[in-house]
Amino acid sequence: ADGRGVIADFGLSQVLPPSGRARDGMSRKGTLLFMAPELLNNQEFSWSSDVYSFGILLYQVVANQEPFQGINSVNMFIKTVTIEKRRPFVHASKDVPQSLVDLMEDCWKENPEERPTMTQVVRRLEAVIFEMEIPDEANRMFWMSRVFPSSSSGNSILWCKFEFELMKANPIIPGIVMKQLEPLLIGGSDTSFNKVTAKRFGEVCSWFGHIWDRNSCALACDFLGSTCFHGCQTLGITTNYLRSAIPGSFGIWTNTKGYDPAAPFTLSFTGRTQQVLHFPLLFDGKEWSLQSPFPVDGLMTFPSLTHMALHLIQQWHLKPYSMYHHSSLPPIPTPAPAAAPYPNCTHGYLL
């Protein structure tokens, strides 16, 4: 019920003697598909035999199919595994990292002495999970070296503990930026959940870069601390705020009720007739894209949301609108040229 896997059915389990090895005698016991070569050959078995079985089980989970399909006799199966030494075929992909493929192949090695121990398997599986949830190596190392030791599960941590580790690594993050980061990292404006997961940390870092690194967080802080960032909101709240703003006011926000990973943020601004327009901001893992309503612009790409906001200010002459009325905050730290008067605006605010 809690999403945890359990091990059951110990009917054929044995307590190994002090030597760590045992033999089943003349009969094979177990499920053939998952039996190590030494068991199929009626040789001594050990903990390494269970590691082999786990590797085959891991393949079945990853591939979503039984191994050794097409083999329909016991003798043919034994020959395939013990003499031909064939194993299931699996190749790395976006959803199956090479580190997971390597782990499976190490588990089902022919020589039991070359297989990892289950303790090593667990450590490597944890590393695989973090690799998939936090693709960037530097972000992953921050999580594993600073966050992982402070968490109870490894995969999630209380916000207060995460904030403490983040501030230790990067004490120059402004308070307003930390306030904006909290709902982003927790996953919504409802902070009662109060936990940061490794996956969410990886997502936020893919959007804003190395927020924990004092030497490379400036761009992220520029955007997160600016008046144009509305944080975690809903479409209705954003629309109501901007409907009362002057034409040309804009904000960038993410939906508290869930979002499309390909378009995690939305640009909203007030049109000439007070109509509020919304445009999804596309993200491919490296760059941000905005499909401009103007044919002259087409699909525009930006290396960061800060660069996009500056373009909206400098080229579209939009005005950052703060939902929080932080009058002391700049719209965006980099100076922008003076905006053209409204009647002469290049794009006329669309409407």
Side-chain angles (χ1 to χ4, degrees), residues 182-232:
E182 181 178 0
L184 282 173
L185 285 164
I186 288 175
S189 57
D190 179 10
T191 56
S192 61
F193 177 64
N194 206 30
K195 283 189 176 182
V196 182
T197 64
K199 182 177 181 180
R200 187 66 178 188
F201 172 74
E203 288 176 333
V204 172
C205 285
S206 71
W207 301 336
F208 300 112
H210 300 157
I211 57 176
W212 44 268
D213 183 1
R214 70 179 69 190
N215 297 317
S216 60
C217 70
L219 207 60
C221 290
D222 285 352
F223 176 76
L224 292 168
S226 69
T227 54
C228 69
F229 182 56
H230 290 189
C232 294

Side-chain angles (χ1 to χ4, degrees), residues 250-279:
F250 82 97
I252 295 174
W253 56 283
T254 186
N255 201 324
T256 60
K257 299 184 181 300
Y259 58 88
D260 178 359
F265 286 82
T266 300
L267 163 67
S268 301
F269 64 89
T270 310
R272 185 186 293 270
T273 61
Q274 299 301 125
Q275 179 183 0
V276 180
L277 299 100
H278 307 280
F279 295 89

Side-chain angles (χ1 to χ4, degrees), residues 9-17 20-25 27-30 39 43 45-47 50:
D9 188 4
F10 293 90
L12 296 177
S13 60
Q14 294 186 31
V15 177
L16 288 177
R21 297 183 178 278
R23 188 187 294 268
D24 257 341
S27 63
R28 303 184 186 94
K29 299 182 180 70
L39 283 169
Q43 298 171 342
F45 60 86
S46 65
W47 296 108
D50 288 338

Side-chain angles (χ1 to χ4, degrees), residues 84-104:
E84 299 176 0
K85 298 179 174 44
R86 286 168 51 191
R87 301 290 185 267
F89 174 75
V90 59
H91 64 276
S93 65
K94 179 182 178 182
D95 298 321
V96 184
Q98 186 61 49
S99 55
L100 183 57
V101 175
D102 294 341
L103 176 58
M104 284 185 277

